[in-house]
Amino acid sequence: MGISTQDKIKIAARKIFIEKGYSGARTRDIAEEAGINLALVNYYYRSKDTLFKIIMEEKIDELFGTIIPILAKKDTSLIEKIDEVVDKYFDLLLKVPELPLFVINELRQENINSKIVNRLKVIFENKDIVKYLNELNPNLSNYHIMMNFIGIIIFPFISKPIFVSSSIIDQNEFSALIKTQKGIVSQLVKSLALINPQIK
Amino acid sequence: MGISTQDKIKIAARKIFIEKGYSGARTRDIAEEAGINLALVNYYYRSKDTLFKIIMEEKIDELFGTIIPILAKKDTSLIEKIDEVVDKYFDLLLKVPELPLFVINELRQENINSKIVNRLKVIFENKDIVKYLNELNPNLSNYHIMMNFIGIIIFPFISKPIFVSSSIIDQNEFSALIKTQKGIVSQLVKSLALINPQIK
DNA sequence: GTTTATTTTAATCATTTGTTTAATTTTTTA
DNA sequence: TAAAAAATTAAACAAATGATTAAAATAAAC
């Protein structure tokens, strides 16, 4: 016996929602991708919206959950933490490069609920993480450090459509360029330590 | 006599498409926003798709067109060019912070045509720009310089929904934080010069 | 000022799309 | 193995949505 119908639907929903976003995804797409009858989507998940919120929670954890256990560790140096986070992110995002753009876009569309909001708060207001990251550059606010830290790491994957959809580079070239990008990111993140917000 | 019906529709379409994306926008939203009869959208623009492509072209130019004339200038130093680009981008994106996320997301959905693709190529394969940017760090490929250059500048605006939709910060705090961010960005871009892709 | 062309409107069409229903099949329980 | 419960299916519903039409109103041309 293989995968349950309920799981087939969830797996299909992940793919379709990530590919097309909430408003672009149709329940029929999901049913077809799952290879099951359309009515089963509602039978198991009640509505498109309910199913979406489940996937959205999952994806938020997948995207931001990565950093919590690493940054919150008590026995590693900040530099080690940074390198480990960069490593983990590149592993993850080479597999699912669409993840950051999907999550941020749906957050903007406010396709969220209080559970999702709380999940984000737990991550971005984690005291250990805030404390450790602050060591990187005490002159910068928590927000600026967090935002630039994440931004430097994930932007290569967010910007992918600019270069790939316009055929400036293709999938293979992207994968090759990302390898070099990892070293660049690692150095750029560390150069955050040298920033002085006072200087114009 | 004020704005023509055709222009009213275009102005409304800009707002609605940017807010909801192609698949989330309804022609009825646009008509209502424009204060005109629904049928006029098709009368003047034939289809939702045609209207969208017009807005999309416009927005690509708005987002990426900024950098061409500045970077291509022959009589300014690279540092001056960078500062001017950062300046112009922050002016633009404080007014329309949703612009980068909108454009990149629609590029990923492939809601584009060959005209839009060509526009992107003209910008990112402009020889002067490539030449000048390359001076910033000859060890990095054109792609890496361009991608990181743009990324560092626009990510603050792309990441806005992460922090605002989750109520970690509000609109006013965002605006305040962006002011400091401008100085950070200016320094970060210049630190691209110090990156050595050989180093692990 | 009459005719012609353009613009606007309300109504309607044809699909699409999320969801439900009622019947059927399969699985579980006792 | 008979009865009950759960899962699946095909069909259909109701609302949403992009688009069209035919008539009415307005503006332009002569």
Side-chain angles (χ1 to χ4, degrees):
Chain A
M1 156 289 25
I3 307 156
S4 72
T5 299
Q6 197 162 5
D7 283 347
K8 278 186 199 161
I9 294 170
K10 207 194 260 187
I11 292 165
R14 282 187 197 113
K15 189 182 166 197
I16 299 296
F17 279 134
I18 286 229
E19 201 175 300
K20 313 199 173 187
Y22 179 79
S23 62
R26 296 172 306 143
T27 51
R28 280 165 177 81
D29 295 334
I30 295 170
E32 196 186 353
E33 173 70 31
I36 51 93
N37 186 285
L38 172 64
L40 294 174
V41 176
N42 291 79
Y43 180 77
Y44 283 106
Y45 292 96
R46 207 174 75 245
S47 70
K48 178 186 175 183
D49 192 71
T50 311
L51 178 53
F52 177 80
K53 298 264 161 68
I54 291 169
I55 304 300
M56 186 68 183
E57 270 177 56
E58 241 188 53
K59 292 296 156 186
I60 292 224
D61 281 346
E62 198 176 334
L63 180 59
F64 297 121
T66 317
I67 54 178
I68 301 190
I70 300 171
L71 289 181
K73 265 193 233 171
K74 309 242 176 207
D75 58 346
T76 53
S77 74
L78 187 56
I79 297 294
E80 284 174 312
K81 282 177 189 145
I82 289 173
D83 283 332
E84 202 181 334
V85 168
V86 171
D87 244 52
K88 282 275 157 56
Y89 260 121
F90 271 72
D91 279 357
L92 171 68
L93 298 179
L94 272 169
K95 284 181 210 128
V96 274
E98 324 80 13
L99 181 62
L101 193 48
F102 165 76
V103 168
I104 295 178
N105 203 57
E106 298 300 335
L107 284 176
R108 187 171 72 99
Q109 303 298 333
E110 313 260 7
N111 287 336
I112 49 178
N113 55 26
S114 60
K115 207 169 164 186
I116 293 171
V117 167
N118 286 333
R119 203 77 123 242
L120 282 171
K121 284 194 173 170
V122 166
I123 294 166
F124 289 104
E125 292 173 348
N126 179 302
K127 282 189 181 172
D128 283 331
I129 292 179
V130 166
K131 191 186 78 183
Y132 290 132
L133 275 183
N134 212 49
E135 287 172 16
L136 182 59
N137 188 330
N139 298 315
L140 298 178
S141 78
N142 298 335
Y143 173 83
H144 285 113
I145 296 192
M146 187 68 93
M147 198 256 282
N148 286 289
F149 181 67
I150 294 176
I152 291 168
I153 297 173
I154 75 178
F155 190 79
F157 299 92
I158 292 201
S159 67
K160 185 184 170 192
I162 300 174
F163 303 99
V164 173
S165 293
S166 64
S167 309
I168 289 169
I169 60 169
D170 63 29
Q171 283 287 346
N172 291 333
E173 288 172 295
F174 176 77
S175 302
L177 289 163
I178 278 295
K179 292 210 176 73
T180 310
Q181 178 64 22
K182 191 171 163 182
I184 297 173
V185 161
S186 172
Q187 291 174 56
L188 260 184
V189 169
K190 287 163 197 163
S191 73
L192 269 178
L194 309 171
I195 302 286
N196 185 338
Q198 318 297 0
I199 298 174
K200 194 219 102 95
Chain B
M1 161 248 68
I3 306 155
S4 71
T5 300
Q6 197 163 6
D7 284 346
K8 278 186 200 161
I9 295 170
K10 205 194 259 186
I11 291 166
R14 282 187 198 114
K15 189 182 166 196
I16 300 295
F17 279 133
I18 287 229
E19 200 174 299
K20 313 202 173 182
Y22 179 79
S23 62
R26 296 172 306 144
T27 52
R28 279 166 177 80
D29 294 333
I30 295 171
E32 196 185 352
E33 173 71 30
I36 52 93
N37 187 285
L38 172 63
L40 293 173
V41 175
N42 292 79
Y43 179 77
Y44 283 106
Y45 293 96
R46 208 173 75 247
S47 71
K48 177 186 176 184
D49 192 72
T50 312
L51 177 54
F52 177 80
K53 299 265 160 67
I54 290 169
I55 304 299
M56 186 68 182
E57 271 177 56
E58 242 188 54
K59 292 296 157 187
I60 293 226
D61 281 346
E62 198 176 333
L63 181 58
F64 297 120
T66 316
I67 54 179
I68 301 189
I70 300 172
L71 289 181
K73 265 193 234 171
K74 310 242 177 208
D75 58 346
T76 54
S77 74
L78 187 56
I79 297 294
E80 285 173 313
K81 281 176 188 147
I82 289 173
D83 283 332
E84 202 181 334
V85 168
V86 171
D87 244 50
K88 281 275 157 58
Y89 260 121
F90 271 72
D91 278 357
L92 171 67
L93 298 180
L94 273 169
K95 283 182 212 128
V96 275
E98 324 81 11
L99 181 61
L101 193 50
F102 165 76
V103 168
I104 295 178
N105 204 56
E106 298 301 333
L107 285 175
R108 186 170 74 99
Q109 304 299 333
E110 312 260 9
N111 287 336
I112 48 177
N113 56 26
S114 59
K115 208 169 161 186
I116 292 171
V117 168
N118 286 332
R119 203 75 125 243
L120 281 171
K121 283 194 174 169
V122 165
I123 293 165
F124 289 104
E125 291 172 348
N126 178 302
K127 281 187 183 173
D128 282 330
I129 292 180
V130 167
K131 193 185 78 183
Y132 289 133
L133 275 183
N134 212 49
E135 287 171 15
L136 183 58
N137 188 331
N139 298 316
L140 298 178
S141 78
N142 298 334
Y143 173 83
H144 285 113
I145 296 193
M146 187 67 94
M147 197 256 282
N148 286 290
F149 180 67
I150 294 176
I152 291 168
I153 297 173
I154 75 179
F155 189 79
F157 299 92
I158 292 200
S159 68
K160 185 184 170 191
I162 300 175
F163 303 99
V164 173
S165 293
S166 65
S167 309
I168 290 169
I169 60 169
D170 64 29
Q171 283 287 345
N172 291 333
E173 288 172 295
F174 176 77
S175 303
L177 289 161
I178 278 295
K179 293 212 175 72
T180 310
Q181 178 64 21
K182 191 171 165 182
I184 297 173
V185 161
S186 172
Q187 291 174 58
L188 260 184
V189 169
K190 287 163 196 163
S191 74
L192 269 178
L194 309 171
I195 303 286
N196 184 340
Q198 319 295 1
I199 299 172
K200 192 223 105 91

